[in-house]
């Protein structure tokens, strides 16, 4: 692996507020359990906006969701990922002067993310107003080895002075979540979610135990500060309690050329995972301090070494894009929950956009990546869905259904959190998405035990929900009043995507039923939910008769029954600054037009390609491309995949670039609120499913490789049925190598091959 492809570095002299906030996201540290935004340790002057945040995955509070007109069954409370105690804060005093980027002179300023070693760093050379020069290097890590642990190694080198040096290291309990009343994608109002209940100092460690206002959860943060001067302990540390916060004051002295280093350890423990979070934090602190910082760095590196072994994607001929793609894959590892109590939020653990909620993004955009590279993580994400299956059953009842389960559109702990149901709860396709993801996981792993223990039950319950939602009419099974993925078209009859995913869900309910009988594993599910063959026959009938709208004239699949009757949006007279449209037009105005926020039918054609002939898929792509704004970050990657499939490789390449750079270049102008994890997974798919043409089918593993003319080649690795396979595409050849495991049958452009060691195909002949 070439190291430079895993290092993202910028010179960062700008004190522009927008850029600072963007970098808080781009350089955040997370490990799936905790996430810390890259705020400046020393803070910002008054008047600067910042989202200063530390988060614990799955740790939420409940607050009232005010519905001006309370209709039956509408969500009345929401869950919010809580900003927990701030332990990033460190003030540096050199004599009587305090370090600030906004005073004195910045001689050098860099930010770096090292994805091979798993840390970020800030390197600043600063001249104080009185002329003291110091080099400050701040290295931060959220440990993959110990998920509760966040470290800051803060080193100061005196370049031209001798004197006193003081660190004031904060542990601040009175924190708020970020809010912006003008942006529907973040919380609209400020709310106190968490308050410190206990502040304790033990063995030079400060502990703050805080309680959420309504969800009844506690989190304890423990902070230890250690000072060293060229390796030796050197200084005094006094911890002071203040109202709702604590402060460690660490004093020492420094000589020219000398380096003084403060290492700040923070551990987090919450009552979702620990019975007693204070005892949990104490245990975690003990564990953290039992290793040296260098040993912790070594473990971080070892973890990432094995991560990249399966996950690294190389684009030969474009190092910038390679870096961007791997940046995205690194962020997925940083964001993904590692236990059944949590999942992967739309913004990961990098910010508060969408309040930390989990969406269909997980199943349709992110799971495909983990299924192929880290099947254990994929399984754990699906186990979370199993854990909230009872809530989904309740949700179905609330919405009037007599049977089945309906997953919430957005949630943390299982209850529906979408206030605006037309583009929230009405997106019933989430049921089909979860069923699709379970099926894909099965196709890639053949893990029938998971289907028997958890996945099958989900598939049957989601299938039941379709039967209860739709009905047979004139020989067709129809599903009315739902919303598909495209949120600019809401509450429609027979959304093509929804109907196609319901069909697939029902088909697989049937398949799994008979498979489980064959494997003698069905009985416990029958005992639990009483699924019977008569019901399975009904599923089969509905799947066979599922209505998939088709327009004879245009020879496309209309997005829904009334879509083509609407007026096409006037794109020519829409000023650039009016995008994204959702921030400038009333929803009803959008709903009256043919205009798509994101891939909808085009996405259905990607995942259910065997439902339609190629001509329909092509015509549809061309039709929808003209009316899709890609205002959602979930769109460009899908258009890239479909452009690849249709042979429009130049277009695929352009969409791919848009998707790869979305957060690093802040192209949607909201990355300050957090990364876009769905796009990151979609970006991976755009290479592997798009250019690589990979498909997981019942018959086997399919490829259809294409290469953009701008590249010399690309390569990726996948795990299929336990075998590790490397795929290398160059201008001349496509090479499949079996790295580990049993031989596999694969298909390349529908031609079967047996992959024993390696297969080399001539590119022009595949
Ligand atoms: C998209 C949804 C997505 C959500 C969270 C919205 O803008 O339209 O499809 O689930 O963002 O990423």
């Amino acid at each position: 692996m070439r190291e430079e492809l895993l290092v993202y570095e910028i010179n960062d002299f700008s004190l522009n507020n927008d850029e600072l906030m963007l970098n808080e996201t781009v350089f955040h540290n997370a490990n799936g359990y905790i996430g810390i935004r890259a705020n400046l340790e020393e803070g910002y002057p008054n008047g600067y906006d910042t989202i200063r945040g530390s988060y614990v995955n799955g740790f939420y509070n409940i607050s009232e969701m005010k519905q001006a007109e309370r209709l039956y069954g509408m969500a009345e409370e929401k869950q919010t990922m809580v900003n927990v105690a701030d332990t990033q804060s460190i003030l540096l005093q050199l004599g009587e002067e305090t370090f600030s980027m906004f005073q004195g002179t910045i001689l050098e300023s860099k930010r770096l993310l090292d994805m091979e070693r798993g840390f970020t760093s800030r390197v600043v050379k600063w001249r104080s107003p009185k002329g003291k020069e110091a080099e400050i290097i701040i290295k931060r890590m959220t440990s993959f080895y110990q998920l509760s642990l966040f470290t800051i190694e803060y080193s100061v080198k005196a370049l031209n002075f001798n004197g006193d040096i003081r660190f004031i290291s904060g542990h601040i309990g009175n924190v708020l979540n970020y809010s912006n009343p003008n942006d529907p994608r973040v919380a609209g109002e400020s709310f106190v979610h968490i308050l410190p209940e206990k502040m304790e100092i033990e063995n030079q460690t400060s502990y703050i135990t805080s309680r959420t206002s309504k969800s009844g959860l506690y989190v304890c943060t423990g902070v230890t500060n250690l000072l060293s001067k060229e390796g030796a302990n050197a200084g005094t540390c006094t911890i002071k309690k203040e109202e709702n916060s604590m402060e460690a004051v660490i004093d020492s002295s420094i000589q020219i050329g000398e380096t003084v280093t403060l290492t700040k350890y923070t551990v987090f423990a919450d009552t979702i995972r620990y019975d007693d979070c204070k005892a949990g934090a104490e245990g975690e602190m003990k564990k953290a301090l039992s290793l040296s910082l260098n040993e912790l760095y070594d473990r971080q590196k070892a973890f990432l070494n094995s991560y990249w072994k399966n996950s690294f994607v190389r684009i030969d001929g474009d190092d910038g894009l390679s870096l961007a793609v791997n940046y995205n894959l690194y962020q997925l590892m940083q964001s993904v929950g590692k236990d059944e109590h949590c999942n992967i939020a739309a913004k990961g653990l990098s910010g508060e956009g969408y309040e930390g909620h989990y969406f269909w993004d997980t199943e349709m955009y992110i799971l495909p990546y983990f299924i192929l590279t880290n099947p254990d993580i994929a399984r754990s994400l699906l186990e979370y869905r199993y854990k909230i299956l009872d809530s989904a059953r309740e949700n179905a009842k609330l919405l009037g259904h007599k049977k089945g389960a309906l997953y919430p559109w957005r949630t943390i702990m299982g209850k529906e959190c979408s206030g605006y149901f037309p583009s929230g709860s009405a997106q019933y396709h989430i049921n089909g998405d979860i069923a699709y993801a379970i099926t894909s996981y099965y196709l890639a792993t053949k893990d029938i035990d998971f289907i028997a223990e958890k996945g099958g039950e989900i598939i049957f319950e989601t299938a039941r929900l379709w039967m209860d939602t739709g009905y047979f009419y004139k020989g067709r099974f129809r599903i009315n009043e739902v919303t598909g993925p495209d949120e600019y078209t809401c509450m429609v009859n027979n959304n093509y995507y929804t109907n196609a995913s319901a069909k697939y869900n029902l088909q697989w309910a049937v398949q799994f039923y008979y498979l489980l009988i064959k494997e003698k594993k069905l009985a416990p599910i029958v005992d639990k939910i009483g699924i019977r063959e008569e019901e399975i026959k009904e599923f089969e009938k509905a799947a066979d008769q599922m209505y998939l709208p088709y327009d004879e004239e245009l020879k496309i699949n209309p997005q829904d029954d009334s879509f083509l009757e609407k007026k096409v949006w006037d794109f020519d007279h829409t000023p650039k600054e009016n995008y994204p449209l959702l921030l400038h037009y009333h929803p009803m105005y959008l709903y009256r037009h043919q205009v798509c926020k994101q891939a909808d039918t085009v996405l259905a054609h990607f995942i259910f390609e065997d439902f339609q002939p190629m001509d329909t898929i092509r015509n549809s792509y061309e039709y929808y491309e003209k009316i899709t704004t890609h205002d959602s970050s979930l769109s460009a990657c899908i258009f890239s995949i479909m452009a690849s499939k249709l042979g429009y490789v130049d277009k695929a390449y352009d969409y791919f670039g848009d998707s790869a750079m979305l957060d690093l270049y802040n192209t949607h102008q909201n990355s300050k609120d957090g990364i876009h994890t769905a796009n990151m997974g979609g970006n991976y798919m755009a290479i592997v499913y798009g250019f690589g043409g990979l498909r997981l089918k019942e018959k086997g593993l399919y490829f259809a490789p294409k290469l953009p003319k701008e590249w010399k080649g690309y390569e990726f690795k996948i795990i299929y049925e336990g075998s590790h396979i490397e795929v290398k595409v160059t201008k001349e050849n496509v090479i499949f190598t079996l790295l580990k495991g049993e031989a596999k049958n694969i298909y390349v452009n529908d031609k079967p091959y047996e992959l024993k060691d390696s297969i080399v195909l001539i590119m022009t002949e595949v």
Side-chain angles (χ1 to χ4, degrees), residues 346 354 359-361 409 427 485 487 597-598 631-634 678:
Y354 293 120
F359 290 78
W360 73 310
D361 303 32
W409 174 241
Q427 297 202 46
E487 296 184 353
K597 181 181 179 191
Q598 62 204 100
D631 283 350
S632 161
S633 64
L634 280 64

Side-chain angles (χ1 to χ4, degrees), residues 15-16 33 49 55 112 156 183 195 200 223 240 248 355 366-367 403 469 476 495 518 593 610 666 675 678 713 723:
L15 297 177
N16 170 293
Y33 177 54
D49 199 10
Y55 315 103
L112 177 149
V156 183
D183 189 338
L195 270 180
E200 293 155 279
V223 174
K240 290 191 293 187
E355 300 183 66
I366 299 165
L367 260 159
K403 55 182 180 181
T469 311
R476 282 170 162 179
N495 166 254
K518 202 172 124 210
H593 290 88
D610 297 332
N666 192 19
I675 53 171
S723 294

